[in-house]
Amino acid sequence: MMEPLSQGDPTDFSGLSSVGTRGTTGSGCASQTRRCAHGERGAGRLKAIVWTLILAACVYISVRVIPIYVNEYEFQDGMQTIARFATVNRQGVDQIRDATLREAEKDDLPVRKEDIKVRAVNGNVIINVDYSVTVDLHVYQWTLNFHPTVTNNALF
Protein backbone atom coordinates (compact mmCIF):
# COMPACT_ATOMS: atom_id res chain seq x y z
CA MET A 1 0.00 0.00 0.00
CA MET A 2 0.99 3.55 -0.51
CA GLU A 3 1.81 5.71 2.41
CA PRO A 4 0.74 9.34 2.51
CA LEU A 5 3.47 11.94 2.00
CA SER A 6 4.57 13.92 4.99
CA GLN A 7 4.34 17.71 5.03
CA GLY A 8 8.10 18.39 4.64
CA ASP A 9 8.75 15.68 2.05
CA PRO A 10 10.91 16.90 -0.85
CA THR A 11 8.89 14.85 -3.34
CA ASP A 12 5.70 16.86 -2.73
CA PHE A 13 4.89 18.62 -6.01
CA SER A 14 1.49 19.97 -5.06
CA GLY A 15 2.53 23.64 -4.91
CA LEU A 16 4.35 23.76 -8.24
CA SER A 17 3.10 25.68 -11.24
CA SER A 18 3.38 24.66 -14.85
CA VAL A 19 6.75 26.44 -15.14
CA GLY A 20 8.40 24.22 -12.59
CA THR A 21 9.10 26.65 -9.76
CA ARG A 22 7.22 26.74 -6.46
CA GLY A 23 4.64 29.43 -6.07
CA THR A 24 5.07 31.24 -9.40
CA THR A 25 2.60 31.63 -12.15
CA GLY A 26 2.92 33.02 -15.64
CA SER A 27 4.60 32.02 -18.81
CA GLY A 28 8.09 30.59 -19.41
CA CYS A 29 10.85 33.14 -19.86
CA ALA A 30 9.67 35.87 -17.50
CA SER A 31 10.48 33.86 -14.42
CA GLN A 32 13.48 31.98 -15.72
CA THR A 33 17.08 33.02 -16.10
CA ARG A 34 18.31 35.95 -18.16
CA ARG A 35 19.59 33.63 -20.85
CA CYS A 36 16.08 32.80 -21.99
CA ALA A 37 15.06 36.47 -22.00
CA HIS A 38 17.80 37.34 -24.50
CA GLY A 39 17.30 34.34 -26.76
CA GLU A 40 20.83 33.00 -26.24
CA ARG A 41 19.99 29.33 -26.16
CA GLY A 42 23.28 27.82 -27.33
CA ALA A 43 24.49 30.91 -29.18
CA GLY A 44 27.44 31.32 -26.84
CA ARG A 45 28.63 27.80 -27.57
CA LEU A 46 28.28 28.29 -31.30
CA LYS A 47 30.29 31.51 -31.16
CA ALA A 48 33.03 29.77 -29.18
CA ILE A 49 33.18 26.93 -31.69
CA VAL A 50 33.40 29.36 -34.63
CA TRP A 51 36.20 31.37 -33.01
CA THR A 52 38.04 28.16 -32.12
CA LEU A 53 37.84 27.02 -35.76
CA ILE A 54 39.10 30.41 -36.96
CA LEU A 55 41.99 30.26 -34.50
CA ALA A 56 42.85 26.70 -35.57
CA ALA A 57 42.81 27.75 -39.25
CA CYS A 58 45.16 30.66 -38.51
CA VAL A 59 47.56 28.39 -36.64
CA TYR A 60 47.47 25.80 -39.45
CA ILE A 61 48.16 28.41 -42.14
CA SER A 62 50.95 29.93 -40.06
CA VAL A 63 52.62 26.54 -39.59
CA ARG A 64 52.53 26.00 -43.38
CA VAL A 65 53.60 29.52 -44.49
CA ILE A 66 56.07 30.88 -41.92
CA PRO A 67 58.84 28.33 -42.72
CA ILE A 68 58.68 29.40 -46.38
CA TYR A 69 59.22 33.03 -45.43
CA VAL A 70 62.06 32.07 -43.08
CA ASN A 71 63.75 30.15 -45.93
CA GLU A 72 63.32 33.15 -48.23
CA TYR A 73 64.90 35.45 -45.66
CA GLU A 74 67.86 33.10 -45.18
CA PHE A 75 68.26 32.82 -48.95
CA GLN A 76 68.28 36.59 -49.35
CA ASP A 77 70.88 36.86 -46.58
CA GLY A 78 73.04 34.27 -48.34
CA MET A 79 72.64 36.15 -51.63
CA GLN A 80 73.86 39.33 -49.91
CA THR A 81 76.96 37.51 -48.68
CA ILE A 82 77.63 36.13 -52.17
CA ALA A 83 77.29 39.61 -53.70
CA ARG A 84 79.64 41.17 -51.11
CA PHE A 85 82.41 38.65 -51.63
CA ALA A 86 82.03 38.25 -55.40
CA THR A 87 84.14 41.31 -56.16
CA VAL A 88 86.81 40.47 -53.59
CA ASN A 89 87.11 36.90 -54.83
CA ARG A 90 87.02 38.07 -58.48
CA GLN A 91 84.18 35.73 -59.37
CA GLY A 92 82.63 35.75 -62.80
CA VAL A 93 78.90 35.86 -63.59
CA ASP A 94 78.68 32.06 -63.95
CA GLN A 95 80.44 31.48 -60.63
CA ILE A 96 78.12 33.91 -58.87
CA ARG A 97 75.09 32.21 -60.46
CA ASP A 98 76.35 28.76 -59.36
CA ALA A 99 76.97 30.01 -55.80
CA THR A 100 73.45 31.49 -55.70
CA LEU A 101 71.97 28.21 -56.96
CA ARG A 102 73.84 26.29 -54.24
CA GLU A 103 72.47 28.72 -51.65
CA ALA A 104 68.91 28.14 -52.93
CA GLU A 105 69.38 24.37 -52.75
CA LYS A 106 70.69 24.70 -49.21
CA ASP A 107 67.51 26.56 -48.22
CA ASP A 108 65.26 24.06 -50.10
CA LEU A 109 63.91 26.63 -52.56
CA PRO A 110 62.62 25.74 -56.04
CA VAL A 111 65.10 27.97 -57.89
CA ARG A 112 66.42 27.01 -61.30
CA LYS A 113 69.54 28.35 -62.94
CA GLU A 114 67.39 30.26 -65.47
CA ASP A 115 65.66 32.11 -62.60
CA ILE A 116 68.92 33.76 -61.49
CA LYS A 117 70.02 36.96 -63.21
CA VAL A 118 73.46 38.34 -62.37
CA ARG A 119 75.07 41.61 -63.46
CA ALA A 120 78.66 42.29 -62.50
CA VAL A 121 80.11 45.54 -63.84
CA ASN A 122 83.12 47.45 -62.44
CA GLY A 123 82.91 45.88 -58.99
CA ASN A 124 79.15 46.29 -58.69
CA VAL A 125 77.23 43.03 -58.41
CA ILE A 126 73.46 42.80 -58.73
CA ILE A 127 71.69 39.47 -58.23
CA ASN A 128 67.99 39.06 -59.07
CA VAL A 129 66.07 35.84 -58.49
CA ASP A 130 62.42 35.22 -59.35
CA TYR A 131 60.73 32.09 -58.04
CA SER A 132 57.39 30.86 -56.73
CA VAL A 133 56.42 28.47 -53.96
CA THR A 134 53.01 26.80 -53.88
CA VAL A 135 51.57 26.12 -50.44
CA ASP A 136 49.09 23.24 -50.26
CA LEU A 137 46.44 24.13 -47.66
CA HIS A 138 44.30 21.07 -48.58
CA VAL A 139 41.37 23.33 -49.51
CA TYR A 140 43.31 25.97 -51.46
CA GLN A 141 46.56 26.13 -53.41
CA TRP A 142 48.30 29.39 -52.43
CA THR A 143 51.16 30.52 -54.68
CA LEU A 144 53.73 32.81 -53.08
CA ASN A 145 55.89 34.79 -55.53
CA PHE A 146 59.31 35.98 -54.40
CA HIS A 147 61.65 38.45 -56.13
CA PRO A 148 64.73 38.92 -53.93
CA THR A 149 67.29 41.40 -55.23
CA VAL A 150 70.65 42.17 -53.68
CA THR A 151 73.36 44.55 -54.72
CA ASN A 152 76.97 45.14 -53.84
CA ASN A 153 77.98 48.71 -54.50
CA ALA A 154 81.71 49.27 -54.70
CA LEU A 155 83.14 51.85 -52.29
CA PHE A 156 85.47 53.38 -54.89
Side-chain angles (χ1 to χ4, degrees):
M1 281 236 118
M2 292 182 79
E3 295 180 23
L5 295 174
S6 64
Q7 185 121 349
D9 194 356
T11 59
D12 182 15
F13 301 109
S14 61
L16 293 179
S17 69
S18 63
V19 177
T21 57
R22 186 180 290 247
T24 60
T25 60
S27 64
C29 289
S31 64
Q32 291 183 357
T33 63
R34 203 170 84 118
R35 190 174 40 183
C36 181
H38 294 291
E40 294 181 9
R41 296 181 186 182
R45 290 186 192 137
L46 180 62
K47 187 188 279 187
I49 290 170
V50 168
W51 279 109
T52 303
L53 290 175
I54 290 171
L55 178 66
C58 289
V59 168
Y60 177 74
I61 291 170
S62 297
V63 165
R64 301 288 291 191
V65 171
I66 288 175
I68 294 171
Y69 277 101
V70 168
N71 286 345
E72 195 274 335
Y73 177 76
E74 290 174 353
F75 175 60
Q76 193 166 1
D77 187 49
M79 284 175 47
Q80 186 67 47
T81 302
I82 292 168
R84 284 184 185 149
F85 290 107
T87 304
V88 175
N89 295 335
R90 300 184 191 272
Q91 293 177 332
V93 173
D94 290 331
Q95 292 171 326
I96 296 170
R97 185 175 290 116
D98 291 339
T100 305
L101 186 61
R102 282 192 304 274
E103 184 69 28
E105 289 170 354
K106 183 181 84 171
D107 294 326
D108 294 328
L109 299 176
V111 176
R112 299 171 304 177
K113 198 168 189 174
E114 304 86 43
D115 297 334
I116 303 169
K117 293 163 186 63
V118 178
R119 279 192 1 219
V121 179
N122 296 331
N124 295 331
V125 176
I126 300 171
I127 306 172
N128 296 321
V129 180
D130 296 322
Y131 68 96
S132 299
V133 177
T134 302
V135 182
D136 182 19
L137 299 175
H138 297 291
V139 292
Y140 181 72
Q141 300 290 322
W142 187 12
T143 302
L144 302 172
N145 297 312
F146 295 102
H147 311 284
T149 300
V150 296
T151 183
N152 171 24
N153 295 323
L155 297 175
F156 48 90

